[in-house]
Amino acid sequence: MAKTVGDFILERLRGWGVTRIFGFPGDGIGGLVAALGRNDDIQFVQTRHEESAAFMACAHAKFTGEVGVCMATSGPGAIHLLNGLYDAKLDHQPVVAIIGQQSRTAVGGNYQQEVDLQNLFKDVANDYVQTCMSPAMTRHLIDRAFRIAKARRNVTALVFPNDVQESKAVEEAPQAHGTVHTSDAYNKWDVTPDEASLREAANALNAGKKVGILIGAGAMGAADEVVEVANLLGAGVAKALLGKAALPDDLPFVTGSIGLLGTEPSDWMMQHCDTFLMIGSRFPYSEFLPKIGQAKGVQIDLDPTMLSIRYPMDIALAGEAKLTLKALIPLLKRKEDRSWRGEIEERVSRWWREEGERAMKDAKPVNPERVFWELSPKLPDNAIITADSGSSANWFARALKIRPGMQASLSGTLATMCPGMPYAVAAKFAFPSRVPIAFVGDGAMQMLGITDLITVSKYWKEWLDPRLIVCVLSNRDLNQVSWELRAMANSPKVSETQDVPKFSFAQYAEMLGLKGITVDKPEQISPAWDEALRSDRPCVIDAIVDPDVPTLPPHITFSQAESYTEALLSGDPNEVGIIKQTFKRVFS
């Protein structure tokens, strides 16, 4: 049989290092599906929904540093990819989407499942979205899509009409006018600022007496350099959510997360520093950064277009974090006065002590914070932790201690519901000997997560280590939004929009042949984690947690207090429980 375009697409993907594609079949990609049946080099992971496929491609990129690839059929399948692709785009992850389309002769004819995919994807894949109208275009479209995705850390999209997929492959177009000739050669380049800019940054940092550092995902892989800079400058280090795994939490000067989900030490450091160093972060909430004019600002970011947009920086350095810090370190002077560092370390120590006390407070029936707190010392050394958007992200940010060798992520910028489960599944495929642990609310599990459990049930017996743990926070409430209503909208909880139907996730897991554990008493938490971590199969912990436990910000503004009070006075259906839990956290 002659090699088809579908065969050549897979061959070209393999040349770019692709070993796995996440997707769902359809007749719009029939030629590619047929080619997958003839190909032994690339694994096709069949997800239950194309949105999950895009989330998994994003997670693959986050956890491996490779390009993630997802695939969907024309029309409805393509549309389903969008949310997961926007998650990748906004968190700056390299993902290539391969999408089917109706035959070329039908395009423009209002044909069944025909959608204008060029326009549909022109925002999410703004750097590169192209349709292959001739077999001779296949090679250069794939090469450019991957090169651009890697170089710009962005989403690219390729559309292949199904008749093109089934056509005879043209591996190299004739060298003639109007043809393009490419290869899969690619080399990552090093980016560092010029010497003068580095000296200017060093002078500012050396002059500061109270240096506060904020790191994000761009600081991944630069832990040693960040620690050395922090030690030289006597600084504390706060972490944006996407940078949670960039530094371990057992370092005494690491203040933890920042922002509404952040810690008191991070907030205090930002309010009192006189010099602010931001490394590899696009943290968006300026109200949690130093007041304008309070601190001299220095920023390091790989993307020059993202410099000085969160805080009016005095020195903005375009460069890769690790290399830039290495070049900066010889220019820095060790600060002899360590009183600023001492104050930070005292606050960090007190924070963790109080965090443990908060986690162990009674709730009805289970304190969600305790579920995270009791896991921390039990975490495998190379665990991969994912969290969904919602209240699970709050406790992930505050109560979970990351150690060296671990990875952790969530939907940072889009902050969409539902990536927690597919992130964990993608992590397991990438690292089958490691243990992914996903924290997901019952709302997100009902929205999409339970379908991802079906995917787990399909593949888990193939994994070297069968363990994958999902902890569902079952509070029968879209909890994050309920608290946002109280704190920001002057409104009590609206039961008709917020209540989540009861569902036994543990029984559902058992039905799928997985392990299910229900936790509805605090003394069951620790044994449940032990049982899940030694399980011979994937495990779901259905933790029945109290929706009234407040996720208090590091400092409460007057407007938040006013809104919160007005919401309770307006007759919140959870008023009694909320008052009890708030009193416990603030006054005991």
Side-chain angles (χ1 to χ4, degrees):
M1 179 180 175
K3 183 186 294 184
T4 68
V5 169
D7 294 315
F8 184 55
I9 289 170
L10 298 181
E11 183 181 301
R12 205 68 186 165
L13 294 185
R14 190 68 192 92
W16 278 97
V18 175
T19 58
R20 187 171 299 109
I21 297 171
F22 303 96
F24 195 82
D27 61 0
I29 50 172
L32 278 161
V33 170
L36 281 163
R38 298 187 290 269
N39 185 288
D40 295 325
D41 296 327
I42 294 180
Q43 179 187 24
F44 182 81
V45 177
Q46 183 203 71
T47 63
R48 314 274 61 75
H49 194 286
E50 292 90 351
E51 182 178 2
S52 289
F55 280 137
M56 289 181 196
C58 175
H60 181 90
K62 285 187 173 187
F63 293 132
T64 67
E66 302 168 355
V67 177
V69 181
C70 56
M71 184 184 294
T73 189
S74 58
I79 293 166
H80 284 164
L81 289 175
L82 286 174
N83 193 43
L85 291 179
Y86 270 105
D87 183 40
K89 175 185 175 67
L90 270 61
D91 280 354
H92 303 276
Q93 297 302 313
V95 169
V96 174
I98 297 174
I99 308 146
Q101 178 60 291
Q102 298 305 309
S103 296
R104 289 168 292 178
T105 52
V107 172
N110 195 28
Y111 203 71
Q112 185 182 28
Q113 293 192 335
E114 181 194 350
V115 172
D116 186 347
L117 297 176
Q118 285 282 148
N119 275 322
L120 182 69
F121 283 83
K122 72 177 181 181
D123 181 53
V124 73
N126 62 298
D127 278 328
Y128 199 71
V129 53
Q130 295 292 331
T131 299
C132 185
M133 299 304 290
S134 164
M137 298 170 66
T138 306
R139 177 172 174 154
H140 77 258
L141 291 187
I142 291 174
D143 289 347
R144 293 214 68 216
F146 274 82
R147 186 169 286 110
I148 290 168
K150 288 169 75 74
R152 298 182 182 169
R153 298 189 61 80
N154 204 356
V155 174
T156 59
L158 297 177
V159 180
F160 289 92
N162 56 20
D163 61 323
V164 172
Q165 299 167 38
E166 296 164 357
S167 300
K168 184 178 178 180
V170 177
E171 298 186 46
E172 179 70 75
Q175 192 169 356
H177 182 73
T179 60
V180 176
H181 303 270
T182 61
S183 78
D184 57 12
Y186 181 85
N187 186 52
K188 181 180 178 293
W189 64 93
D190 296 335
V191 182
T192 53
D194 62 87
E195 182 71 19
S197 298
L198 286 167
R199 290 194 176 279
E200 185 182 9
N203 290 339
L205 295 169
N206 288 332
K209 295 181 179 179
K210 300 176 179 180
V211 182
I213 300 174
L214 172 62
I215 63 173
M220 294 288 190
D224 291 344
E225 290 74 19
V226 172
V227 168
E228 187 169 356
V229 168
N231 284 334
L232 285 168
L233 298 175
V237 183
K239 302 188 288 187
L241 268 183
L242 286 173
K244 184 169 177 66
L247 271 189
D249 287 306
D250 57 3
L251 294 172
F253 55 86
V254 172
T255 61
S257 297
I258 190 174
L260 197 63
L261 315 184
T263 69
E264 188 279 334
S266 292
D267 189 62
W268 182 88
M269 183 174 70
M270 289 296 123
Q271 289 186 42
H272 293 85
C273 67
D274 64 13
T275 309
F276 176 42
L277 173 58
M278 194 178 201
I279 306 169
S281 175
R282 290 89 184 260
F283 176 75
Y285 302 116
S286 61
E287 67 269 31
F288 292 100
L289 300 180
K291 290 181 174 59
I292 293 175
Q294 168 195 320
K296 192 91 167 175
V298 178
Q299 184 180 3
I300 299 169
D301 201 286
L302 184 61
D303 184 352
T305 68
M306 298 303 291
L307 290 167
S308 200
I309 64 170
R310 304 303 187 216
Y311 189 82
M313 296 294 173
D314 298 276
I315 301 103
L317 304 176
E320 194 268 335
K322 186 180 183 74
L323 295 174
T324 301
L325 291 174
K326 275 189 171 182
L328 190 62
I329 285 168
L331 306 176
L332 298 177
K333 298 174 183 176
R334 178 179 170 82
K335 297 192 186 299
E336 298 305 320
D337 182 354
R338 313 300 281 187
S339 57
W340 167 252
R341 167 67 80 86
E343 175 70 15
I344 289 171
E345 291 187 0
E346 285 179 18
R347 287 178 174 272
V348 170
S349 177
R350 183 167 63 247
W351 164 265
W352 283 118
R353 185 174 63 252
E354 292 173 351
E355 176 63 26
E357 292 169 358
R358 282 189 294 270
M360 301 307 287
K361 291 186 184 298
D362 292 338
K364 187 179 179 180
V366 169
N367 183 343
E369 204 159 5
R370 182 169 176 174
V371 176
F372 290 74
W373 183 258
E374 295 211 22
L375 171 64
S376 281
K378 300 175 185 290
L379 281 168
D381 288 337
N382 62 354
I384 303 173
I385 304 151
T386 70
D388 220 284
S389 299
S391 60
S392 57
N394 297 340
W395 311 124
F396 164 85
R398 294 180 180 180
L400 207 59
K401 285 190 173 184
I402 296 293
R403 300 196 306 274
M406 296 179 183
Q407 290 179 278
S409 196
L410 40 54
S411 175
T413 311
L414 186 61
T416 178
M417 290 176 69
C418 297
M421 266 298 306
Y423 272 27
V425 175
K428 192 64 182 180
F429 276 107
F431 304 103
S433 63
R434 295 171 68 176
V435 182
I437 301 173
F439 288 96
V440 187
D442 49 1
M445 280 300 290
Q446 291 184 23
M447 184 182 287
L448 191 63
I450 56 175
T451 69
D452 293 312
L453 283 177
I454 301 173
T455 302
V456 171
S457 73
K458 176 180 170 71
Y459 290 105
W460 72 268
K461 292 179 182 177
E462 301 175 10
W463 297 332
L464 186 64
D465 181 330
R467 292 175 298 169
L468 180 153
I469 302 170
V470 184
C471 180
V472 185
L473 301 183
S474 292
N475 51 29
R476 300 192 63 187
D477 181 33
L478 296 173
N479 200 234
Q480 186 78 355
V481 177
S482 294
W483 283 107
E484 288 169 348
L485 285 169
R486 296 171 185 127
M488 293 184 282
N490 302 78
S491 172
K493 171 184 168 178
V494 180
S495 296
E496 61 186 327
T497 67
Q498 300 308 109
D499 286 350
V500 172
K502 185 177 181 180
F503 188 93
S504 175
F505 297 99
Q507 290 181 0
Y508 181 77
E510 294 282 348
M511 183 186 74
L512 293 174
L514 312 178
K515 189 172 189 63
I517 303 170
T518 299
V519 171
D520 55 12
K521 295 181 178 65
E523 61 270 20
Q524 296 172 337
I525 297 172
S526 181
W529 283 121
D530 291 337
E531 189 175 353
L533 286 165
R534 63 172 179 260
S535 177
D536 64 351
R537 64 194 59 215
C539 180
V540 174
I541 297 176
D542 191 2
I544 315 302
V545 298
D546 191 341
D548 298 336
V549 175
T551 54
L552 297 174
H555 71 265
I556 300 173
T557 64
F558 176 78
S559 63
Q560 288 169 339
E562 186 179 42
S563 178
Y564 188 56
T565 303
E566 187 172 328
L568 295 182
L569 291 175
S570 299
D572 193 287
N574 297 50
E575 178 183 350
V576 174
I578 290 170
I579 292 172
K580 285 181 179 178
Q581 288 296 331
T582 303
F583 185 87
K584 286 179 183 178
R585 287 173 171 264
V586 175
F587 299 108
S588 62

